[in-house]
Amino acid sequence: MFRKGRRDGKRRHSSTDSEDENKGFIRLNSKRGRSPMNTGNRGKGKKVKGKNNKTESHFYSKHGRMSLDPEFSTSERLQKRAARFNAGGVGGPSPGPQRKKKQLNITKTISNTFTVDGDDIDWTSMHIVGTSTAMEKPYLRLTAAPDPSTVRTVDTLKRSLECIKRQWVRNQDYRYACDQLKSLRQDLTIQGVRDGFTVQVYETHSRIALEKGDHEEFNQCQSQLKQLYCEVGGENTLEFIAYRLLYYIFTKNTLDITSLLAGLTMEQKQDECIGFSLKLRAAWSLGNYHRFFRLYRTAPKMAGYLVDWFADRERKQALRAMLKGYRPGSLEVSFIRSELALGTQEEWQKFESGISLVYTDVSKTKIDCTYGMKHGKGDAASCRNIPFSGTYGMKHGKGDAASCRKLLLGIRLWNNSLFHVHPELFQCPAVFQQQQQFQSPPISEAVFQPSRRPTVPDCSRQAEFQSMRSQS
Amino acid sequence: MTTNNTGQQVESLREPGGGGDLTVKLTRVVDLSLVTMAGMTLNDYLQRVQGCFYHQNGDGLADLISFRDPHVMSSRLMLEKPERDVERCVDPSLAEFIAGHLRAVWAAGSGDCVEAWKTQMVIVQAVARFMQELKEERWMLPIMYTACLDLRLFALAADYELTRSGTSKAGETLEKSAEALMSCFRVCAADTRTGEDCTKRWGLLYLVNQFFKIYFKINKLNLCKPMIRAIEALSFKDRFSLSQLITYKYYTGRKDMFDSDFKSADSTLSFAFQRCHIGSRKNKRRILIYLIPVKMLRGYLPKQSVLERYNLSEFHDVVASVRQGNVRLLSETLAKHESFFIGAGIYLILEKLKILAFRNLFKKVYHISGTHQIEVAMFLQSLKWMCVEDVDLDETECILANMINDGRMKGYISHAHRKVVVSKKDAFPPLTAC
């Protein structure tokens, strides 16, 4: 099937928009034995061949315009599907003669049961060749065979990919990049192109999804990549195997972890990325947070982005164990930060804002382990009631942003240490200004070379990605 | 290991992960009438079929379409297109699957397991239709059992063949077979109006076991859930035959294990192991492979005699290392028998035994030190002695904190003094208590 694809690839490159060329295609199709239509429709049986005789191949009929093949969405196909169910399903008792007719040919029943699925459109049997040279194209879900003039040529797609990459580096517009890449992938699927270029496209999309934290898209791309690597191979197979293992840790999918481990060879285990993933997995399965976060700091290539997705979950668990293990007593925040790889102030604040910790002192350098960890926004005490004395640290509540502003600013300026600030309070311009100093540097071209990320991760945008997907 | 319907012990040759040889399977039946059956004529066969149908002899009819019966060796029954002959002699409701069976015999005889599998798919669906026509009766359930079993076995062989030649992805034939089995499942499950003694729902457990075998092979355990729900909803779920119940418990126990529900896995697998017949050594061994890790995690170590009797030498070092707290030996053993453990899918669970090994090691350190306030450095020293790489004081504290968090040690760590203070009584509660 794939060899056929490549052969067609050569023919495809010589295609143009002219009708004559398309007629040329029709001529080819009329050669019985070699027509892709016929060979592709092996399973479909006699009916399709019959149709061929009458109106030539459906897809290139009518001056190269592809009219929607009636067989695809309507009666005949439905009938065929129905016939399959009759042959394969539990029908009621049928009258004698009809049974005899079915009985007559078990071979036929078998071939009916094993026809190509009615639901999946078998793109490889259609051999659509694109003709469009548009650089940009929005993504639209297809339910039927498309018009070749809307499908782009492989050359165009290559140029389009470079264009998308440039745009990405410049704007960081995930929505745009994702949309363009999806339509790029679709054009490749329609034309049955599965080669090194396809691998490149999927790798690019995976990397972008990795960076932005789009779990679902990443999973889609990497499962396609898994198949492509088996068929076509690629330079980055080991890297992506490592990402796959990390993804399984993220989804806690022990079954797939076992099968992945089963499939690894000794040489593969020596690879930098895979070795890292294996060590991380071992640390994770034993709850060894010390080793886990130590490895996390030195994650190779883009593995760090993936571990970001579940780093907080592991941190919370680790912190729980720590609070129990050192109870009663207290723990230096600096120690916790070094154990949990929360190096920067911003990271610590972000982590801390999701849980409520109890400090031993006002300067918040030590955490009181007697009290466990609570998730969430804490109690409803407003920010006005900040107990400066006493053993309890500050808990957030919704409070009144405006009235908190002065107070917070005052406190913040006075004490530049750890502080959980309610996200709402960032509305305050002065507080926001303070935050600006923690802004990350712009992302460079380096993102397309596997490298350690420079930014602070943001994994909280799943809902946004979901809505993007449901709209397309 | 199953007993077929005539009481013969027939070995299932399906080792996990192996493709089988069709001809080997065919020659494995031990039967004195082998020679006579192997020469059966078509007329003789069809007469027997008709006779069984007339007398509602489900078991007899099941044998006549079973590939474990010697009649499949008869070259006179290897017919590619037997429809005409079959229609002439046999009742129309049976004709389809009888003709299908003869075609399958032909395919198997010529060594084409893919064709045999495809034919068997048609047979299974025909059997489902046959069953649906006969309301309020369940004598024909053995026929369904045999057809479904043969379908799965052919699917395994076909899968091996198709994957080897690259025509399809691994597991595809099994998935399609599962769909065909669904048709039988639906017929049985829908039979809710009839009385308990003649309802077809008695066939459900056998079918569910076949589904389990398929889903475990293709690693789609999440599809088992509706099956389990269907069985649990039956009022007579404890009155199925013991062999079917044991198989059911074996698979649900394994599923619980994968879901990390060790308590439930323990009780289910223990039931299966205890009730499994003493002679079914191979099956008992298979159950033990999963029961041992589960029990060990709960604190019960198996005796050496058990391991020897069931030929499970791989576990010997694992047990010894956990008992001694020898972390190094445990790591080495896991690496040494990695392929065996991964193949059985228990590698990740056995890794968790390291925590028990640490606990035992630290308990020894505690006894050696003799005091209740132990330096973390002593624990670190023991870990270094166990060749744990790259370990420092902070990591030792991490391991200790986890142990306290799990309840395997009672005490607390003082980070500033780098000491561990353990409880004066019962510093290391017994493992079975957790």
Side-chain angles (χ1 to χ4, degrees), chain A residues 96 99-100 102-104 106, chain B residues 45-46 49-50 53 61 65 82-103 122-123 126-127 129-130 133:
Chain A
R99 180 78 70 68
K100 259 207 184 123
K102 254 194 266 168
Q103 182 82 351
L104 223 53
I106 294 204
Chain B
Y45 175 76
L46 293 175
V49 164
Q50 195 55 17
F53 177 62
L61 204 43
I65 62 165
E83 293 93 332
R84 291 275 179 243
D85 300 316
V86 172
E87 276 171 323
R88 250 188 300 128
C89 306
V90 153
D91 198 273
S93 52
L94 302 176
E96 189 166 2
F97 70 82
I98 295 294
H101 175 67
L102 293 173
R103 187 174 194 279
V122 172
I123 293 172
V127 168
R129 262 171 281 144
F130 170 66
E133 281 170 30

Short mmCIF file of all heavy atoms in Angstrom, two decimals, chain A residues 96 99-100 102-104 106, chain B residues 45-46 49-50 53 61 65 82-103 122-123 126-127 129-130 133:
data_model
loop_
_atom_site.label_atom_id
_atom_site.label_comp_id
_atom_site.label_asym_id
_atom_site.label_seq_id
_atom_site.Cartn_x
_atom_site.Cartn_y
_atom_site.Cartn_z
N GLY A 96 -36.93 -20.20 3.37
CA GLY A 96 -36.05 -21.24 2.84
C GLY A 96 -35.24 -20.85 1.62
O GLY A 96 -34.03 -20.89 1.65
N ARG A 99 -32.52 -18.40 2.19
CA ARG A 99 -31.42 -19.02 2.94
C ARG A 99 -30.56 -19.83 2.00
O ARG A 99 -29.35 -19.84 2.07
CB ARG A 99 -32.01 -19.90 4.05
CG ARG A 99 -30.98 -20.58 4.90
CD ARG A 99 -30.39 -19.63 5.92
NE ARG A 99 -31.34 -19.27 6.96
CZ ARG A 99 -31.80 -20.12 7.88
NH1 ARG A 99 -31.40 -21.38 7.90
NH2 ARG A 99 -32.65 -19.73 8.79
N LYS A 100 -31.23 -20.54 1.15
CA LYS A 100 -30.49 -21.39 0.21
C LYS A 100 -29.55 -20.51 -0.62
O LYS A 100 -28.42 -20.88 -0.88
CB LYS A 100 -31.48 -22.10 -0.73
CG LYS A 100 -31.73 -23.52 -0.35
CD LYS A 100 -32.15 -24.39 -1.52
CE LYS A 100 -32.47 -25.79 -1.00
NZ LYS A 100 -33.79 -26.25 -1.32
N LYS A 102 -28.12 -17.71 0.16
CA LYS A 102 -26.96 -17.32 0.95
C LYS A 102 -26.07 -18.54 1.14
O LYS A 102 -24.87 -18.50 1.08
CB LYS A 102 -27.40 -16.83 2.33
CG LYS A 102 -27.30 -15.32 2.50
CD LYS A 102 -27.42 -14.92 3.94
CE LYS A 102 -28.87 -14.58 4.27
NZ LYS A 102 -29.10 -14.47 5.69
N GLN A 103 -26.72 -19.62 1.44
CA GLN A 103 -26.02 -20.87 1.72
C GLN A 103 -25.12 -21.27 0.56
O GLN A 103 -24.06 -21.84 0.74
CB GLN A 103 -27.08 -21.96 1.94
CG GLN A 103 -26.53 -23.30 2.30
CD GLN A 103 -26.20 -23.39 3.76
OE1 GLN A 103 -26.24 -22.41 4.45
NE2 GLN A 103 -25.86 -24.56 4.20
N LEU A 104 -25.58 -20.93 -0.57
CA LEU A 104 -24.91 -21.38 -1.78
C LEU A 104 -23.45 -21.01 -1.78
O LEU A 104 -22.63 -21.69 -2.38
CB LEU A 104 -25.57 -20.69 -2.99
CG LEU A 104 -25.83 -21.57 -4.19
CD1 LEU A 104 -26.60 -22.81 -3.77
CD2 LEU A 104 -26.62 -20.80 -5.22
N ILE A 106 -20.56 -19.81 0.71
CA ILE A 106 -19.91 -19.37 1.96
C ILE A 106 -18.73 -18.48 1.63
O ILE A 106 -18.42 -17.54 2.36
CB ILE A 106 -19.47 -20.59 2.79
CG1 ILE A 106 -20.71 -21.35 3.24
CG2 ILE A 106 -18.64 -20.13 3.97
CD1 ILE A 106 -20.53 -22.18 4.45
N TYR B 45 -20.63 -38.60 8.44
CA TYR B 45 -20.55 -37.37 9.24
C TYR B 45 -21.91 -36.67 9.28
O TYR B 45 -22.41 -36.31 10.34
CB TYR B 45 -19.48 -36.46 8.62
CG TYR B 45 -19.38 -35.10 9.27
CD1 TYR B 45 -18.75 -34.96 10.51
CD2 TYR B 45 -19.91 -33.97 8.66
CE1 TYR B 45 -18.66 -33.73 11.12
CE2 TYR B 45 -19.82 -32.72 9.27
CZ TYR B 45 -19.20 -32.61 10.49
OH TYR B 45 -19.10 -31.39 11.10
N LEU B 46 -22.49 -36.50 8.11
CA LEU B 46 -23.75 -35.76 8.05
C LEU B 46 -24.87 -36.52 8.79
O LEU B 46 -25.72 -35.90 9.43
CB LEU B 46 -24.14 -35.49 6.60
CG LEU B 46 -23.19 -34.53 5.88
CD1 LEU B 46 -23.57 -34.41 4.41
CD2 LEU B 46 -23.22 -33.15 6.53
N VAL B 49 -24.43 -35.79 12.39
CA VAL B 49 -24.89 -34.43 12.68
C VAL B 49 -26.40 -34.41 12.82
O VAL B 49 -26.96 -33.88 13.79
CB VAL B 49 -24.44 -33.46 11.56
CG1 VAL B 49 -25.20 -32.16 11.64
CG2 VAL B 49 -22.95 -33.21 11.65
N GLN B 50 -27.03 -34.99 11.85
CA GLN B 50 -28.49 -34.97 11.87
C GLN B 50 -29.02 -35.70 13.10
O GLN B 50 -29.98 -35.26 13.72
CB GLN B 50 -28.99 -35.62 10.56
CG GLN B 50 -30.44 -35.38 10.23
CD GLN B 50 -30.84 -33.91 10.18
OE1 GLN B 50 -30.02 -33.01 10.07
NE2 GLN B 50 -32.13 -33.68 10.27
N PHE B 53 -28.65 -33.56 16.18
CA PHE B 53 -29.63 -32.48 16.17
C PHE B 53 -31.00 -33.00 16.57
O PHE B 53 -31.71 -32.38 17.37
CB PHE B 53 -29.65 -31.86 14.77
CG PHE B 53 -30.67 -30.77 14.62
CD1 PHE B 53 -30.60 -29.62 15.38
CD2 PHE B 53 -31.73 -30.91 13.72
CE1 PHE B 53 -31.54 -28.62 15.26
CE2 PHE B 53 -32.66 -29.89 13.59
CZ PHE B 53 -32.58 -28.75 14.36
N LEU B 61 -22.95 -32.74 19.05
CA LEU B 61 -22.87 -31.81 17.92
C LEU B 61 -21.66 -30.91 18.05
O LEU B 61 -20.99 -30.58 17.07
CB LEU B 61 -24.17 -30.99 17.87
CG LEU B 61 -24.57 -30.38 16.54
CD1 LEU B 61 -24.38 -31.36 15.41
CD2 LEU B 61 -26.02 -29.94 16.61
N ILE B 65 -18.23 -30.34 15.38
CA ILE B 65 -17.66 -29.14 14.75
C ILE B 65 -16.40 -28.68 15.47
O ILE B 65 -15.92 -27.57 15.27
CB ILE B 65 -18.66 -27.98 14.64
CG1 ILE B 65 -19.14 -27.51 16.02
CG2 ILE B 65 -19.83 -28.33 13.77
CD1 ILE B 65 -19.81 -26.15 15.93
N PRO B 82 -18.87 -27.34 0.25
CA PRO B 82 -19.73 -28.47 0.62
C PRO B 82 -21.21 -28.12 0.70
O PRO B 82 -22.01 -28.96 1.12
CB PRO B 82 -19.21 -28.83 2.01
CG PRO B 82 -18.71 -27.54 2.57
CD PRO B 82 -18.29 -26.67 1.43
N GLU B 83 -21.56 -26.88 0.31
CA GLU B 83 -22.93 -26.42 0.60
C GLU B 83 -24.01 -27.36 0.06
O GLU B 83 -24.97 -27.69 0.75
CB GLU B 83 -23.14 -25.02 0.03
CG GLU B 83 -22.33 -23.93 0.71
CD GLU B 83 -21.00 -23.68 0.02
OE1 GLU B 83 -20.46 -24.62 -0.59
OE2 GLU B 83 -20.49 -22.56 0.09
N ARG B 84 -23.87 -27.77 -1.21
CA ARG B 84 -24.91 -28.60 -1.82
C ARG B 84 -25.13 -29.88 -1.03
O ARG B 84 -26.25 -30.24 -0.68
CB ARG B 84 -24.46 -29.00 -3.25
CG ARG B 84 -24.43 -27.84 -4.19
CD ARG B 84 -25.81 -27.64 -4.76
NE ARG B 84 -25.85 -26.53 -5.67
CZ ARG B 84 -26.57 -25.46 -5.45
NH1 ARG B 84 -27.31 -25.35 -4.39
NH2 ARG B 84 -26.55 -24.49 -6.33
N ASP B 85 -24.01 -30.57 -0.75
CA ASP B 85 -24.14 -31.87 -0.09
C ASP B 85 -24.75 -31.73 1.29
O ASP B 85 -25.58 -32.53 1.71
CB ASP B 85 -22.75 -32.51 0.04
CG ASP B 85 -22.11 -32.72 -1.32
OD1 ASP B 85 -22.84 -33.19 -2.22
OD2 ASP B 85 -20.92 -32.40 -1.46
N VAL B 86 -24.33 -30.67 1.96
CA VAL B 86 -24.82 -30.48 3.32
C VAL B 86 -26.31 -30.17 3.31
O VAL B 86 -27.08 -30.71 4.09
CB VAL B 86 -24.02 -29.34 4.01
CG1 VAL B 86 -24.63 -28.99 5.33
CG2 VAL B 86 -22.58 -29.75 4.16
N GLU B 87 -26.70 -29.30 2.39
CA GLU B 87 -28.11 -28.92 2.33
C GLU B 87 -29.01 -30.11 2.11
O GLU B 87 -30.13 -30.15 2.61
CB GLU B 87 -28.33 -27.93 1.19
CG GLU B 87 -28.02 -26.51 1.54
CD GLU B 87 -28.06 -25.65 0.30
OE1 GLU B 87 -27.64 -26.11 -0.78
OE2 GLU B 87 -28.52 -24.52 0.39
N ARG B 88 -28.49 -31.06 1.37
CA ARG B 88 -29.32 -32.22 1.04
C ARG B 88 -29.64 -33.06 2.26
O ARG B 88 -30.72 -33.58 2.41
CB ARG B 88 -28.59 -33.10 0.00
CG ARG B 88 -29.23 -33.05 -1.37
CD ARG B 88 -28.63 -34.05 -2.31
NE ARG B 88 -27.21 -33.82 -2.49
CZ ARG B 88 -26.28 -34.77 -2.34
NH1 ARG B 88 -26.62 -35.98 -2.00
NH2 ARG B 88 -25.00 -34.49 -2.52
N CYS B 89 -28.66 -33.22 3.14
CA CYS B 89 -28.85 -34.18 4.23
C CYS B 89 -29.26 -33.58 5.56
O CYS B 89 -29.74 -34.28 6.43
CB CYS B 89 -27.54 -34.94 4.49
SG CYS B 89 -26.86 -35.70 3.06
N VAL B 90 -28.98 -32.32 5.72
CA VAL B 90 -29.07 -31.78 7.07
C VAL B 90 -30.13 -30.70 7.17
O VAL B 90 -30.44 -30.03 6.21
CB VAL B 90 -27.65 -31.23 7.45
CG1 VAL B 90 -27.73 -30.13 8.45
CG2 VAL B 90 -26.76 -32.33 7.94
N ASP B 91 -30.67 -30.54 8.35
CA ASP B 91 -31.69 -29.54 8.61
C ASP B 91 -31.21 -28.14 8.20
O ASP B 91 -30.08 -27.79 8.49
CB ASP B 91 -31.99 -29.57 10.12
CG ASP B 91 -33.30 -28.90 10.43
OD1 ASP B 91 -33.29 -27.67 10.61
OD2 ASP B 91 -34.33 -29.60 10.44
N PRO B 92 -32.07 -27.36 7.56
CA PRO B 92 -31.62 -26.04 7.06
C PRO B 92 -31.05 -25.12 8.12
O PRO B 92 -30.17 -24.32 7.83
CB PRO B 92 -32.89 -25.42 6.45
CG PRO B 92 -33.93 -26.44 6.49
CD PRO B 92 -33.45 -27.66 7.16
N SER B 93 -31.54 -25.23 9.36
CA SER B 93 -31.01 -24.29 10.35
C SER B 93 -29.55 -24.58 10.68
O SER B 93 -28.80 -23.69 11.06
CB SER B 93 -31.86 -24.34 11.61
OG SER B 93 -32.00 -25.67 12.06
N LEU B 94 -29.16 -25.83 10.51
CA LEU B 94 -27.76 -26.18 10.82
C LEU B 94 -26.84 -26.02 9.63
O LEU B 94 -25.64 -25.94 9.78
CB LEU B 94 -27.64 -27.67 11.18
CG LEU B 94 -28.40 -28.29 12.31
CD1 LEU B 94 -28.09 -29.77 12.30
CD2 LEU B 94 -27.93 -27.70 13.59
N ALA B 95 -27.48 -26.05 8.43
CA ALA B 95 -26.67 -26.24 7.23
C ALA B 95 -25.53 -25.25 7.12
O ALA B 95 -24.42 -25.63 6.73
CB ALA B 95 -27.57 -26.16 6.00
N GLU B 96 -25.79 -24.01 7.44
CA GLU B 96 -24.73 -23.02 7.22
C GLU B 96 -23.48 -23.32 8.04
O GLU B 96 -22.38 -23.34 7.51
CB GLU B 96 -25.23 -21.61 7.53
CG GLU B 96 -24.19 -20.59 7.10
CD GLU B 96 -24.74 -19.18 7.06
OE1 GLU B 96 -25.92 -19.02 7.41
OE2 GLU B 96 -23.98 -18.28 6.71
N PHE B 97 -23.64 -23.55 9.30
CA PHE B 97 -22.40 -23.71 10.06
C PHE B 97 -21.78 -25.08 9.86
O PHE B 97 -20.57 -25.24 10.03
CB PHE B 97 -22.56 -23.31 11.54
CG PHE B 97 -23.38 -24.22 12.41
CD1 PHE B 97 -22.84 -25.37 12.96
CD2 PHE B 97 -24.69 -23.89 12.73
CE1 PHE B 97 -23.59 -26.18 13.78
CE2 PHE B 97 -25.44 -24.68 13.57
CZ PHE B 97 -24.89 -25.84 14.10
N ILE B 98 -22.58 -26.08 9.48
CA ILE B 98 -21.97 -27.38 9.17
C ILE B 98 -21.14 -27.27 7.91
O ILE B 98 -20.00 -27.73 7.84
CB ILE B 98 -23.05 -28.46 9.03
CG1 ILE B 98 -23.77 -28.69 10.35
CG2 ILE B 98 -22.44 -29.77 8.54
CD1 ILE B 98 -22.87 -29.26 11.44
N ALA B 99 -21.74 -26.62 6.89
CA ALA B 99 -20.99 -26.43 5.66
C ALA B 99 -19.75 -25.60 5.92
O ALA B 99 -18.66 -25.88 5.40
CB ALA B 99 -21.89 -25.76 4.61
N GLY B 100 -19.92 -24.57 6.74
CA GLY B 100 -18.79 -23.73 7.08
C GLY B 100 -17.69 -24.53 7.76
O GLY B 100 -16.51 -24.37 7.46
N HIS B 101 -18.10 -25.42 8.63
CA HIS B 101 -17.10 -26.22 9.33
C HIS B 101 -16.32 -27.09 8.36
O HIS B 101 -15.09 -27.20 8.47
CB HIS B 101 -17.77 -27.09 10.39
CG HIS B 101 -16.83 -28.03 11.06
ND1 HIS B 101 -15.81 -27.61 11.88
CD2 HIS B 101 -16.72 -29.38 11.01
CE1 HIS B 101 -15.12 -28.65 12.32
NE2 HIS B 101 -15.65 -29.75 11.78
N LEU B 102 -17.02 -27.68 7.42
CA LEU B 102 -16.31 -28.53 6.46
C LEU B 102 -15.33 -27.70 5.64
O LEU B 102 -14.21 -28.12 5.34
CB LEU B 102 -17.31 -29.24 5.55
CG LEU B 102 -18.17 -30.28 6.28
CD1 LEU B 102 -19.25 -30.82 5.37
CD2 LEU B 102 -17.31 -31.41 6.81
N ARG B 103 -15.76 -26.49 5.30
CA ARG B 103 -14.84 -25.62 4.57
C ARG B 103 -13.63 -25.27 5.43
O ARG B 103 -12.50 -25.21 4.95
CB ARG B 103 -15.56 -24.35 4.15
CG ARG B 103 -14.73 -23.48 3.25
CD ARG B 103 -15.54 -22.29 2.73
NE ARG B 103 -14.82 -21.66 1.63
CZ ARG B 103 -13.83 -20.81 1.79
NH1 ARG B 103 -13.44 -20.48 2.99
NH2 ARG B 103 -13.22 -20.29 0.73
N VAL B 122 -17.51 -16.74 10.01
CA VAL B 122 -18.84 -16.94 9.46
C VAL B 122 -19.59 -18.01 10.26
O VAL B 122 -20.79 -17.88 10.54
CB VAL B 122 -18.73 -17.33 7.97
CG1 VAL B 122 -20.07 -17.73 7.43
CG2 VAL B 122 -18.16 -16.19 7.18
N ILE B 123 -18.86 -19.03 10.67
CA ILE B 123 -19.49 -20.10 11.45
C ILE B 123 -20.05 -19.56 12.76
O ILE B 123 -21.18 -19.87 13.15
CB ILE B 123 -18.46 -21.22 11.74
CG1 ILE B 123 -18.06 -21.92 10.45
CG2 ILE B 123 -19.02 -22.23 12.72
CD1 ILE B 123 -16.92 -22.89 10.63
N ALA B 126 -23.12 -17.73 12.22
CA ALA B 126 -24.20 -18.64 11.88
C ALA B 126 -24.72 -19.36 13.13
O ALA B 126 -25.93 -19.57 13.28
CB ALA B 126 -23.71 -19.67 10.85
N VAL B 127 -23.81 -19.72 14.01
CA VAL B 127 -24.21 -20.38 15.26
C VAL B 127 -25.06 -19.44 16.10
O VAL B 127 -26.06 -19.84 16.70
CB VAL B 127 -22.96 -20.84 16.06
CG1 VAL B 127 -23.32 -21.25 17.46
CG2 VAL B 127 -22.29 -21.99 15.36
N ARG B 129 -27.02 -17.13 15.00
CA ARG B 129 -28.36 -17.10 14.41
C ARG B 129 -29.12 -18.37 14.71
O ARG B 129 -30.31 -18.36 15.02
CB ARG B 129 -28.25 -16.91 12.89
CG ARG B 129 -28.45 -15.47 12.48
CD ARG B 129 -28.13 -15.26 11.03
NE ARG B 129 -26.70 -15.17 10.84
CZ ARG B 129 -26.07 -15.65 9.79
NH1 ARG B 129 -26.73 -16.25 8.82
NH2 ARG B 129 -24.76 -15.54 9.69
N PHE B 130 -28.41 -19.48 14.68
CA PHE B 130 -29.03 -20.77 14.99
C PHE B 130 -29.57 -20.76 16.42
O PHE B 130 -30.68 -21.20 16.69
CB PHE B 130 -27.96 -21.86 14.81
CG PHE B 130 -28.33 -23.22 15.33
CD1 PHE B 130 -29.36 -23.94 14.74
CD2 PHE B 130 -27.66 -23.80 16.39
CE1 PHE B 130 -29.70 -25.22 15.19
CE2 PHE B 130 -27.98 -25.07 16.85
CZ PHE B 130 -29.01 -25.77 16.25
N GLU B 133 -32.77 -18.70 16.88
CA GLU B 133 -34.02 -19.30 16.40
C GLU B 133 -34.64 -20.22 17.42
O GLU B 133 -35.86 -20.34 17.50
CB GLU B 133 -33.73 -20.11 15.13
CG GLU B 133 -33.60 -19.28 13.90
CD GLU B 133 -33.08 -20.12 12.76
OE1 GLU B 133 -33.36 -21.33 12.75
OE2 GLU B 133 -32.37 -19.57 11.91
#
